[in-house]
Amino acid sequence: MAFSSQDKILVTGAAGFVGKVCIDALLEDGRHPDQIFALSRHNEQAAARGVNSVKGDILDRAGMRDIVAELQPFAIIHLAAIAEPAKARADHDGAWAVNFDSVRHLAETILDVSPKTRLIFSGSAEAYGASFNDSPGPIDEFAALRPATTYGATKAAADMLLGQMAQDGLRAVRFRAFNHTGAGQAPAYVVPAFAEQIARIEAGLQPPVVNVGNLEAKRDFLDVRDVAVAYARAADPAMDIDGSVFNLASGEARSIRSILDTLVGLSNHEIDVETDPNRLRPSDVPYAAGSNVRICKELGWAPAHDFEETLRDTLTFWREQFAS
């Protein structure tokens, strides 16, 4: 569709893994680069993909107020977060400041100086936590938020806050994103952790052994490009979705072991597997998957990338990092 020149989109966390892909998705959806404003702390033009680059820090409440007041964007896609669970666990104060306080301040700013702005919140399925243990299949958006990690708690708290503020007139759309991955993701996450090790083995940089955590856990995975498409679609003024909450999920769970097996199968090297106790998470739930019925129906979204393609792309990325 043709978007109005007034339909400005501000993307926080624009220099991050999802942020870069989200900007690409907005451009592919028909947005003109002049309509997209990419917020990052270091004014990174490379991350902005030729769009407007805005220097700012989501923890700078006054600075963010000035940016929002001046831009009056149609939507803010709020991706900035401390997203690695281990980092959130190690820095409680930082995690709550970034993942909760910045959301509260941004929402309050919108209501105060730009009330027509839609706030698109990148939440997490980790907010469900222990609720996964009560369900034999994919859970829907009515499942209780019972986080079991610091990261999950910060996201659950922000999710609940925005739900309440929507009752006060905030145009909020909340996503609860399940695991997503792809080329460029940091090796702190399971898929790139495997892919990086395999690429290092192929390059002769480590012995032919992949160190792993819990391989029996089952998780719902998406390609990051599909996740970005959902965020971009939520920023479409034609979508009447204010106040909505969506699971961003494939609807099925796959074992971590099957992911490792696929990645190893993409290599022509003989590779052994060893369990590393440091990679085991104390609060791991055995099964986590989300129903995507609501998002498919109301947003017209569905995953478009085959997961083996995602794994292949991720391994190719890491091979390129170690190419001589």
Side-chain angles (χ1 to χ4, degrees), residues 6-25:
Q6 301 303 311
D7 295 334
K8 301 173 185 175
I9 307 297
L10 176 66
V11 181
T12 75
F17 168 59
V18 181
K20 296 173 184 177
V21 184
C22 187
I23 289 170
D24 287 341

Side-chain angles (χ1 to χ4, degrees), residues 75-139:
I76 298 175
I77 302 176
H78 188 48
L79 304 176
I82 293 179
E84 295 180 19
K87 283 187 177 180
R89 188 167 60 247
D91 181 10
H92 282 239
D93 289 346
W96 279 99
V98 174
N99 296 354
F100 177 75
D101 290 337
S102 78
V103 178
R104 177 171 65 87
H105 296 159
L106 185 58
E108 290 171 350
T109 291
I110 289 170
L111 285 177
D112 193 23
V113 303
S114 187
K116 294 182 179 180
T117 294
R118 174 181 291 168
L119 179 57
I120 298 166
F121 174 62
S122 174
S124 173
E126 289 235 0
Y128 289 123
S131 286
F132 289 117
N133 295 328
D134 300 334
S135 176
I139 62 177

Side-chain angles (χ1 to χ4, degrees), residues 293-310:
V293 172
R294 175 178 289 186
I295 191 172
C296 292
K297 179 180 179 180
E298 297 184 22
L299 205 62
W301 173 93
H305 291 86
D306 179 78
F307 195 62
E308 185 166 338
E309 172 197 353
T310 307

Side-chain angles (χ1 to χ4, degrees), residues 218-229:
K218 293 184 177 181
R219 296 289 182 267
D220 190 322
F221 279 88
L222 288 169
D223 189 294
V224 65
R225 291 167 290 191
D226 289 328
V227 169
V229 164

Side-chain angles (χ1 to χ4, degrees), residues 18-59:
V18 181
K20 296 173 184 177
V21 184
C22 187
I23 289 170
D24 287 341
L26 287 166
L27 292 169
E28 291 168 5
D29 197 38
R31 298 281 180 178
H32 191 278
D34 287 346
Q35 295 176 304
I36 303 170
F37 295 78
L39 180 82
S40 61
R41 285 179 295 176
H42 305 295
N43 212 21
E44 290 127 328
Q45 289 289 344
R49 298 296 201 268
V51 303
N52 299 289
S53 189
V54 180
K55 185 177 182 179
D57 187 336
I58 57 166
L59 295 179

